[in-house]
Amino acid sequence: DDYAYYEALAYQDLANITSGQLLLDESIDYAQTGLINIEKWIALFPADYDRLALAKELLLERLSICYLFSGDLESALNTQNTAFKSAIKRHDKYMQLRIDYERGGTRLHTNLKDGIQRLKNRYIESLECETLFEEEPALIHAMLLVGKLLKENASRRKRKMEEIYNESMKLEYS
């Protein structure tokens, strides 16, 4: 159903806007409300499962970022894993890539080496993916550079940090 799909996207946008304003409790509430509603719509419109499941995965991904911003890394990773498993079940390569690069960003907070490796792999994959938005490879690359800076900062290697900074200045955003 079109209404259900666009309602879910509206809740995702509301969660995105409020998380960007650091209204984290509100952003989590919007994402959770959208998820409750989308579950009802999935039950009512099983013929639209794939499209509604996509909207659910987008809401889960937004909820995970809201959790990340609020400092709840465990909930962020669990929510991302739920969304990722759903995308695998639906054989949606775009959502798998999107969710996994977000997981890479989250992993920078809990396992720097894994986060960097995941982002490196997803960045390479993004360069070949035709379904990503135009700016997504640059976003993944920027996240990867942040991970590299964190790694070099931990070992206090100033020269390497300057190289990474200079590389980041070459990124182009649309």
Side-chain angles (χ1 to χ4, degrees):
D1 181 65
D2 282 345
Y3 178 83
Y5 178 76
Y6 289 111
E7 178 190 65
L9 294 183
Y11 275 107
Q12 180 207 14
D13 284 343
L14 287 167
N16 189 37
I17 291 165
T18 52
S19 68
Q21 296 171 331
L22 298 180
L23 301 170
L24 301 174
D25 290 338
E26 286 180 46
S27 67
I28 290 169
D29 288 344
Y30 280 127
Q32 289 175 334
T33 299
L35 286 166
I36 290 167
N37 290 350
I38 200 73
E39 288 293 342
K40 293 175 189 174
W41 292 118
I42 288 171
L44 285 171
F45 300 104
D48 288 336
Y49 175 78
D50 274 346
R51 192 166 124 170
L52 296 175
L54 169 65
K56 179 180 176 181
E57 291 159 10
L58 290 168
L59 277 163
L60 285 166
E61 183 53 36
R62 178 47 45 200
L63 178 60
S64 73
I65 298 305
C66 296
Y67 284 141
L68 175 64
F69 288 175
S70 70
D72 188 349
L73 296 175
E74 184 176 342
S75 293
L77 287 168
N78 288 339
T79 304
Q80 286 172 332
N81 289 337
T82 300
F84 189 71
K85 288 175 187 173
S86 175
I88 289 173
K89 182 179 172 186
R90 290 186 321 97
H91 307 287
D92 187 327
K93 296 292 185 191
Y94 165 73
M95 283 305 292
Q96 290 174 48
L97 175 57
R98 179 178 172 160
I99 295 164
D100 206 35
Y101 79 67
E102 292 284 4
R103 286 195 315 178
T106 303
R107 295 291 289 167
L108 293 177
H109 298 272
T110 59
N111 182 328
L112 189 57
K113 184 178 178 181
D114 178 65
I116 290 169
Q117 188 60 52
R118 188 179 301 267
L119 286 167
K120 185 185 292 184
N121 293 342
R122 296 303 75 81
Y123 175 63
I124 292 166
E125 189 178 339
S126 76
L127 297 175
E128 312 257 329
C129 183
E130 296 177 11
T131 56
L132 285 178
F133 289 104
E134 184 179 334
E135 67 276 2
E136 284 183 286
L139 172 64
I140 300 166
H141 192 192
M143 293 167 68
L144 173 59
L145 292 174
V146 167
K148 289 179 175 181
L149 278 173
L150 289 170
K151 178 183 172 195
E152 297 307 326
N153 185 49
S155 56
R156 303 282 187 236
R157 295 184 357 196
K158 185 178 178 191
R159 182 179 192 87
K160 187 66 176 172
M161 289 175 63
E162 288 173 358
E163 289 174 22
I164 295 167
Y165 172 78
N166 290 332
E167 183 180 348
S168 74
M169 292 295 101
K170 296 175 188 172
L171 288 176
E172 293 184 27
Y173 295 96
S174 301

